[in-house]
């Protein structure tokens, strides 16, 4: 067995310690004679796994008591409908900030359920994209909520500040949740697909303030209801138990191996800083994002000579650096350097990039 | 490590060979240097895994070319809304046969979207429950579809025939899919949560006839649309990749280790027959279902002296026979003997039951 460095944008690398524990417990969890996958979700054993996962997550993010933690299914794409269906029952307009492909998808789905007001957009300034500044965000007078995407995975565009508004702030935090400490109190609702910084695909995390559970539209499917999910402790029906178990192992790793989100943020900022520095130091590479909005999770970059893209990817693959192709909609390269991507992976990538530029560039 | 016999109703036992392969490949799938969980769902490697899973399933169930296989999320409980939302766009009435708790839940959700006509119900005859006979099923004149639950997991009540109707037949096959060969051509739509005979919780299988993809209601969430799912080969967004991989291993096991569904059916019928025979042979035990509708997957039974229930469960647990408690809504006992529960488990259970009745009964 030889593990390689995996820069996949998602489903993404998981901590090796987590995979090893899952492997070791695969046929027999803690001497109980069965796999976690084979447990009733209502068994004492599984409920203890789920409770510990939630407690560790609450601890990591310092989630206040008046917020519910929900483990759902369907990814962020399902949240695109769940948000207007859960928050739109009292009428009003859905306000969205559009900073890229995911924000746009969220808007398109919301438009099917509510009038949507575009409260702000990303823009290009001197060829570099940036998110709108706080003063540029204009919510409508009847805003039910304000939605934004804290980190655009494809564009590599991340908010460097927390937009404020007098209506509930809703955030798609799929690709940067748990990368740095977050002040949950500033939000009405946070959601995130698991497959970047949480665990395997198939689990969706929702953190929602209590007072927002009572404004759903009548036509909401029961399984889309945050309130039903909250009232049933995420077990209205069978949850994706193994994905939840693995996410719990990730939370435990973050808390006890890494030492919490401040430490994780230090590591993430160091990884991102050195990778951007390598890009900036070499004319052969470029990144299209304004300095202050460069994502610390997803680092898109282009080669000066795009005809070398395929060679770059093939050589990187040979060097054990996997999944560096940019999203199919934009091309180029992208290194996703989530929590579980070790600093050694970034160091190896930088060395490879410098070498490639020298020999081929 | 010592594996025990697991009679859980779901999430249920998985084939040991599948768990071992998943364990062995956990950190490095086939020398690629990463876990299946860490692969892009659009990578060649994962697409090959997904394609093989679908091909093996099509082969096992002899699924005709005019049926789509969809891998979705949210369990059967999400299907309870998806069925009326996808099939109700042309108006008409949703027809349901109610044979237990799951059928009733399906009806309650459908009523939120369409008028529902009760086309038939289970009944008690001489203290034994049975499903309605074909002649008792009365669909409404404007039926959009006829929905039934082929096996009620909690009641242990299974259809011994395939209801026919001149409208599309929709079946919740969550707890008996793949237990016997099925003539897919008789159905408009079949759905099943994975966590009994398919794989881990978090994946939902849908098999739908092509011509039913164009009658969705306007308000359907994009992620609930069979059509969108079909047009994107179950990858409109990130699917639950690891659950799909494991399900593929189960399909491969069914095909190549077991030898197909005819052989699986023989084993299942033998397991069920000997367990029911043991119940019938001993006055200490009873099963509340008419002979012809006894489930070959879920075998509920009661002790003559219910005050011994807790002792029975504790002793069974000591004997390595896990999860024999009946559903919390009905009490008593239930042995779920899905595909992955080996015949040796049933033999051990029968021996235990006989011994318990002799010494305590």
């Amino acid at each position: 067995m030889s593990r390689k460095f995996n820069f996949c944008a998602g489903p993404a690398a998981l901590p090796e310690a987590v995979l090893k524990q899952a492997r070791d417990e695969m046929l027999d969890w803690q001497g109980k004679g069965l796999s976690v996958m084979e447990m009733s979700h209502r068994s004492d054993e599984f409920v203890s796994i789920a409770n510990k996962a939630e407690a560790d997550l609450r601890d990591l993010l310092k989630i206040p008591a008046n917020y519910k933690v929900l483990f759902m299914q369907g990814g962020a794409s399902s949240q695109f409908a769940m948000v207007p269906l859960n928050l739109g029952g009292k009428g009003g307009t859905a306000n969205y900030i559009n900073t890229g492909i995911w924000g746009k998808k969220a808007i398109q789905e919301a438009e099917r359920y509510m009038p949507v007001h575009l409260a702000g957009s990303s823009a290009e300034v001197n060829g570099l994209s940036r998110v709108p500044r706080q003063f540029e965000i204009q919510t409508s007078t009847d805003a039910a909520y304000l939605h934004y995407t804290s980190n655009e995975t494809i564009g590599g565009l991340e908010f460097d500040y927390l937009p404020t508004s007098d209506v509930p702030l809703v955030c798609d935090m799929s690709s940067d949740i748990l990368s740095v400490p977050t002040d949950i109190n500033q939000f009405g609702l946070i959601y995130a697909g698991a497959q970047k910084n949480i665990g395997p695909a198939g689990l969706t995390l929702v953190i929602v303030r209590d007072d927002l559970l009572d404004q759903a539209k009548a036509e909401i499917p029961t399984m889309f209801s945050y309130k039903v999910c909250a009232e049933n402790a995420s077990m209205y029906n069978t949850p994706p138990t193994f994905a939840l178990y693995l996410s719990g192992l990730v939370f435990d790793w973050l808390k006890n191996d890494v030492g919490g989100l401040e430490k994780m943020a230090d590591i993430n900022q160091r990884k991102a800083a050195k990778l951007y520095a390598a890009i900036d130091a070499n004319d052969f590479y470029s990144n299209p994002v304004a300095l202050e909005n460069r994502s610390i999770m997803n680092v898109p970059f282009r080669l000066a000579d795009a005809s070398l893209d395929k060679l770059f990817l093939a050589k990187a693959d040979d060097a054990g650096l996997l999944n560096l192709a940019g999203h199919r909609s934009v091309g180029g390269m992208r290194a996703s350097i989530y929590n579980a991507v070790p600093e050694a992976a970034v160091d190896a990538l930088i060395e490879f990039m410098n070498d490639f530029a020298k020999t081929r560039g």
Side-chain angles (χ1 to χ4, degrees), chain A residues 168-246:
Chain A
L169 188 62
V170 176
C171 183
D172 177 356
M173 216 176 269
S174 292
S175 55
D176 64 353
I177 194 165
L178 293 168
S179 65
V180 297
T182 301
D183 181 6
I184 304 294
N185 277 305
Q186 303 302 313
F187 296 88
L189 171 69
I190 293 168
Y191 62 86
Q195 65 269 19
K196 286 96 157 64
N197 268 341
I198 294 174
L203 188 79
T204 314
L205 172 67
V206 175
I207 301 169
V208 57
R209 209 173 59 211
D210 277 349
D211 62 293
L212 298 177
L213 294 174
D214 275 311
Q215 52 194 70
K217 285 178 173 276
E219 70 264 34
I220 190 168
T222 302
M223 283 289 293
F224 267 23
S225 164
Y226 297 144
K227 186 176 189 182
V228 169
C229 189
E231 285 174 349
N232 290 277
S234 301
M235 292 201 193
Y236 176 76
N237 76 335
T238 312
T241 50
F242 196 69
L244 181 46
Y245 152 75
L246 279 159

Side-chain angles (χ1 to χ4, degrees), chain A residues 8 76-77 82 88 92 112 143 152-153 157 165 182 219 242 245 247 252 255 257 276 305 325 330 342 352:
Chain A
C8 192
S77 294
M82 283 191 213
R112 303 183 58 229
E152 281 283 351
T153 322
L157 191 68
S165 163
T182 301
E219 70 264 34
F242 196 69
Y245 152 75
S247 301
D252 186 275
K255 208 174 134 175
D257 291 30
Y276 284 113
D305 179 359
V330 295
F352 171 82

Side-chain angles (χ1 to χ4, degrees), chain A residues 108 114 141 214 254 275:
Chain A
Q108 284 168 341
M114 290 174 76
T141 49
D214 275 311
L254 265 175
L275 182 50

